[in-house]
Amino acid sequence: MDKSSDFNYEIQVPEERIPILIGSAGSVKNEISNRCNVKLSIQSDTGRLLITPNSNNNDDFFKAIEIVKAISYGFSPDNALILLDDDNSLEIIDFRDFIGKSPKSISRMKGRVIGESGKTRKTIQELTGCLISVYHHTVAIIGSYNENKIAHDAILLLLKGKSHRSVYDMLYLAKRKSKIEKLQLWED
């Protein structure tokens, strides 16, 4: 369970994600620490990680939290570090909030979001510009606010049982609308 207090942040990292968070010879841990000006204290046996800021820059501290969460939710360190860009954020959707805790239902919903040979996930990523990770009972999204909103809406439609075709149609429409809005900005 996550908790925040006294400018420290504690998070439980899944056991299988700890080596990825640490990296070869501590490379990932050190990169997060250096780029976000924080101290990461990992208890490898329990998976508990404490993030402590080394400065008063709260933006860097919160970025470190987002990066660690992204790695915990299945993103590679390189993809998680995209969160250093101020325009990007992390969004988490928990299947259990929509379908309960049944392992069979969760597996079915993961299949709907991933699609055959990863087609659905790839299509959502390509049409929104987001990165998507489906891990355990969650879907994590990294992208700009607008990208995340469109991807989030598409995933919710899938979770509500809408056909893949109707979700793809919504995504194509959103992409066209976004292109038109960008073109209009240049004309003004």
Side-chain angles (χ1 to χ4, degrees), residues 52-128:
T52 308
N54 288 333
S55 72
N56 290 331
N57 186 340
N58 288 336
D59 289 341
D60 287 345
F61 176 63
F62 289 115
K63 284 180 185 179
I65 292 169
E66 293 271 289
I67 291 166
V68 168
K69 282 183 175 182
I71 293 170
S72 296
Y73 283 104
F75 284 105
S76 71
D78 287 340
N79 285 341
L81 288 168
I82 293 171
L83 290 164
L84 288 169
D85 181 341
D86 288 336
D87 292 335
N88 292 326
S89 62
L90 175 69
E91 184 169 350
I92 309 295
I93 300 171
D94 192 329
F95 293 129
R96 299 175 302 183
D97 294 341
F98 299 93
I99 57 169
K101 296 182 180 184
S102 163
K104 196 172 186 177
S105 295
I106 290 171
S107 178
R108 187 172 43 82
M109 287 302 138
K110 283 171 71 172
R112 284 187 55 77
V113 173
I114 295 169
E116 188 174 327
S117 301
K119 180 186 175 200
T120 303
R121 183 179 74 120
K122 184 178 177 186
T123 301
I124 295 171
Q125 288 182 136
E126 288 173 354
L127 293 175
T128 62

